[in-house]
Each structure stands twice: as structure tokens, then as C-alpha cells.
Amino acid sequence: MPREVVACQSDREADMIRTRPCIRSGRFPSFEGYAHMNRAIETQVLIVGAGPVGMTLALDLAWRGIDVVVAERRRPAEAPSVKCSQISARSMEIFRRLGVARVLRDAGLPADYPNDVVSCTTVTGIELSRIPIPSRGERSGPAAGPDAAWPTPEPPHRINQTFFEPLLFAQVAAHPRIRVLNRAEVEQFVQDERGVTTTARDLDSGEETTIVSTYLVGCDGGKSAVRRAIGSELRGTPVIQRVQSTYIRAPELLSLLPGKRGWLYFSLNPRRCGTTIAIDGRERWLIHNFLYRGEPEFDSIDRDWAIRTILGVGPDFRYDVISQEDWIGRRLVADRFRDRRAFICGDAAHLWIPHAGYGMNAGIADAADLAWMIAAVLTGWASPGLLDAYEAERQPITEQVSHFTAGIAELIMKQRREVPSDIEAPGAAGEAVRARIAREAYAIDVQQQCCGGLNFGYFYAQSPIIAYDDEPHPAYTMHDFTSSTVPGCRAPHVWMDGRRSLYDALGPSYTLIRLDPAARASGLVAAAARRGVPLAVVDLEAPEAALYGRKLVLVRPDQHVAWRGDAEPADPLALIDLVRGARVTPTQAAAAATERATLSAP
Ligand SMILES: Cc1cc2nc3c(=O)[nH]c(=O)nc-3n(C[C@H](O)[C@H](O)[C@H](O)COP(=O)(O)OP(=O)(O)OC[C@H]3O[C@@H](n4cnc5c(N)ncnc54)[C@H](O)[C@@H]3O)c2cc1C
């Protein structure tokens, strides 16, 4: 049984922890108080959990020159259960910056396997609607479909977590700045003004290790013990729907598919609706049987019957169960993402029914947001006040995504409850019913499977480190978005000099994008230099650059806009201090936290 992580807050408890033996390398002079320890690992950041979010955070911190230790219960490269099947475009943009996008894109479904999303009566039955989504081979050339023209250097990528986690792990394990402690379970930590001291147990030998770090980040999943240890609670709807998920091997199924193959099938029939996802494009499939209201237990429905009904196959159809997982779709967001030096990211901070493929991908966005902030503080050019921006930015966004996904879940549940009994009827009457349901299904499916708003539309509206102006943020939905340089938005992507991504030209820290080569930038450059803030200047000339709308746009290390103007601000140093977190007062931070708590109160 995994043990609970305990955050020891009192001096007495802290003293008890500090008497544990540890090794001291002496590299971090701020840890003078731990000098008596004779067996400890020291690092700048300890990450608890090497799931996709913990590994992304580790890679991003290391990319920014930070030393990281990752403690993970699992064995090296041990595959997770079959869960997330897609990496969003925005996540792929992050992986592109980290230099791992190519490795991930070269894996997954076979290059020519269609990524289409199909609604049908059953997987082997009548097709109702189809969203064309380019295969990964087609992504390299001109492609068609609702997401094909998205303004990004990295379109979405269909690959299951079982395949990409080991690939990500190989990158993490090979990185000289990252040390992974596998089979290590974090049990407790204590923090004070100097740092965090954590105890982890080796699950094979039973030995204890002490890890001394400046910061700790819990990326330890939905049952996060770090979340509990920092006194954070999940708020929202604890049960939206129960789901029976079964991972099967069925070599016959591909040959039974009518017409062009698809990646994801939504079965709509009056007997049993469900979702089927191609995992390897050959013989492995993941089938989600979303239980209906009035089916309160996971075993309310016969699993084999449900699988055969969703697929539309008879008793002779053969399949093996590789694994099965029963889980609950929720809508929960943590009421705080941080306690002083300890943070939470990913499923540790929010859990929702993963419609739109935005469970893991929202966690990857958390990691990208937090990584640059911690790195900036540790590198010395930002004030610790910068870290207040993490919760202020990510909590409202994840709250919003949780409502989007709960909303789509309601639509899907309604759609499934109301499938007409004559949907499979022959002739004109049946066809008319199918045409109507096809239109409705397409409208629901395209929102979530081509969720441009979740990828590119979200913006940070309440951040203490963004200089807002008078223009309101453009509204967005799960599906729709408007690229914009309103501060807080993702900097619009444009191609430079033909096919060079603007994102590849940005510096690792702040970048001032200059749309008019005559615009003066020397004041900002000098102010940044005075505060030690790395600032690159990029002159942008591209036909699409008009949508930047201003002569100067200051872009953050995570590609969001921090400020814009047609001329430098009157006080460039004040702006630089704002964006490096030096103007966030404790009062401002407390007021923002209170406002957020009010907004997210049930
Ligand atoms: C059936 C299903 C389908 C899904 N489909 C999608 C999808 O299509 N798109 C999408 O975006 N998301 C999807 N999700 C959600 C997605 O899988 C999760 O959001 C994602 O795995 C979260 O990543 P994480 O790194 O935050 O947490 P996890 O993947 O849970 O990783 C946490 C890690 O922490 C480790 N750990 C925990 N406690 C400790 C400790 N005390 N000490 C050391 N290590 C510890 C665990 O071993 C684990 O490796 C799906 C989920 C399910 C269940």
C-alpha cells in the first residue's frame, strides 16, 4: 500500500526530520542548516512522479539549466496503463522547444494509419459521420481537415501514453542534469525558508533516502499525496460518470471495419454506446464503456456484452483482454496549487473526464508554465514573487477547461441516452434519422477532437506578471479561437522566411518581437541587462505578422505575450521588474488568491 506523504510544518517535526542521516555535497550553500546530515541527495528541484507531466517538467527545467531529481515509484521506463491517446498541438509545441517532438512524432500509429474520428452505429456497422484528421504521414505535406490549417509548427499527434512515456523516459534518463530515482516512493517532506527536505523509500530494499531541494513539485497523479500534504483540496463534481475501460487484442477487427479505417469510433445505437480507439493500428484497441445514469456500479453492465455491442460483433468474434481499468470521470480542480516551496502540477492539481484529450495535455501546460518561473528564480534574474503567477495563471485556466469537458460530457451523455430506436432501420426513414444524428454527432465530436480553443485560445487574464492593456481578450470556445497579441495570449505563430517557425527563433527567456525595424528597443534592452534578464530581440517580417498589431511585443519564455506597444514604455525598468516578478507584493498575491478562491468556490 502506498504511504501518505506528510508535510511536516512544525519546528518540532522539522527537527525530527533534520536528524535523519544524509550525504551533503556542499554545492548549495543555502543548506548550511543541514550540515550534520550524512546521507542525502541535493538538488535544485525535486519532482515527485515521472508520469508525462513530471517528465515534461524535468526536461523543461533541465533545458533551462536547472538540476533536477525525479522520484518515481515505477521501474525505469515501465509503461503506464493505456490512457491518453493524443498529444495536443500545444504540447507538441512544448516538446518541439525541448527538442523531443521528432522522437515522439516518429512513433505512434503507423504513418499511414488514418486518424479520422468516426461516429457510427457500431464500429463494424453503419458510418454516420467522419472528421477527417490527417495521418502522421500526411501531416508532412498539404493535408485536409478541420485542424489541418491550425497556426502551429506542430499539429496534434495521435500516440498512446504506453508508447510515448517510455520514449520520454529515455530522454529524461539520458539528460545530464536529471537524476531519476526509480522505485522510490516519497513519504514525507518538510520545508522552511531555506528549502525542502524530503524522505523517499526504496520500494525494493526498504532503504530511506533524504533529498534536499530548493523546490518540490508534486506531479504524483490524481491520488497526489503532495496535494494533501500542502493542504490543498479538490473542489468540483466528484462523480460525473463511471467508465469500464478494456484494452483488448483483436487481430480480426481491422478486416471487419467497413470503408476507410478510423482512429476513434463513437458507437451510437440504442443498446450500448461507447468509444473505441485504435492503439497500435493493427490489433490493439481500447474500448470505453461509459456507464449510463442509473448504472451505479462498475459491474452493473456485463463487460463482454458491452464490448461486443459497441463493436457490433457476434459471439464468434475473438479477442483477448490485455488489461482493464474502471475509473470515474470527475470535474475537480485543487483549491491551491502551491504552499511556499511546494507546488502541484497535472492530475495532482486537476482531474476531469478526458474528453477533448485534455487531461494530460493541460498538465503538460502546467509544467511548461511552472518550469520557466522556477528556473528564472533559481537562475537569479527573477524575484521569488514570480512564483505567485503560477497558481494565478493555471488555476483559472484548468477550472475553465474542467467546465468545458464537463459540458461536453453532458452533451455526449444526452446524445447517447436519446439515440433513436430506428437508427439502424433500412430505407429512407432510417437514412433520415441517421443523417440527423450524423449532423449532431459531427457538431459535438469536432468541438472536442479538434479543440483549437483549448490548444491556442486560452489566455492568462489574472496574472501579476503580465502588463495588460485596454483591449479585451478574444473570446474562445473549446473549438474556436482567435490568435491575438492581447497580453496573456499565446503569441501567434507565424512562419518566417518561408518555413522557419517563429517559435524556433525565440530566445529561451524573454524575446522582444519587433515588427517595425525602426522601432526603438534600446531602453528595454538596457533595462533587461540592468536586471540580468536574458532578452533576445527578433525582427519579424512575414505576411501574417500583421496580426501582431503592434510594433513591439514582449514574449515570455513560455511563448505567451507579457506586454505590447507601438513604442517602448515610459519606464522600461518598471516593465522589466513587473515581468520578472519583482513588483508582486505579498498583499497583491493574497488578494489575487482570495479572488480566485471566491471564483472557484462550489
Ligand atoms: C482511460 C483514460 C483515458 C485518458 N485519455 C486521455 C486523453 O485522451 N488525453 C489526455 O490529455 N488525457 C487523457 N487521460 C488523462 C491522462 O492519462 C492523465 O491526465 C495523465 O496521465 C496525467 O499525468 P500526470 O503525470 O499528471 O500523472 P500520472 O500519469 O498519474 O503520473 C503520476 C506518477 O507519479 C508516480 N507517483 C505517485 N505517487 C508517488 C510517490 N509518493 N512517490 C513517487 N512516485 C509517485 C506514479 O507512479 C506515476 O508514475 C486519460 C485518462 C484515463 C484514465
Side-chain angles (χ1 to χ4, degrees), residues 1 27 54 138 147 170 234 239 246 308 436 457 544:
M1 279 289 285
R27 282 171 50 219
E138 288 165 338
D147 71 4
L234 291 172
V239 181
T246 317
R308 289 179 193 280
R436 176 173 64 81
E544 313 98 302

Side-chain angles (χ1 to χ4, degrees), residues 79-85 160-162 245-248 279 285-286 288 322-325 327:
S81 61
V82 59
K83 295 188 285 188
C84 175
S85 280
N160 190 267
Q161 216 166 324
T162 49
S245 290
T246 317
Y247 183 28
I248 65 167
I279 299 300
W285 303 84
L286 177 63
H288 298 313
I322 302 170
S323 63
Q324 60 187 57
E325 184 170 354
W327 53 281

Side-chain angles (χ1 to χ4, degrees), residues 49 52-53 72-74 84 161 184 186 219 327 347 357 359-361:
V53 175
E72 166 58 50
R73 275 188 198 135
R74 286 183 283 158
C84 175
Q161 216 166 324
V186 166
C219 301
W327 53 281
D347 275 17
M360 176 194 79
N361 289 295

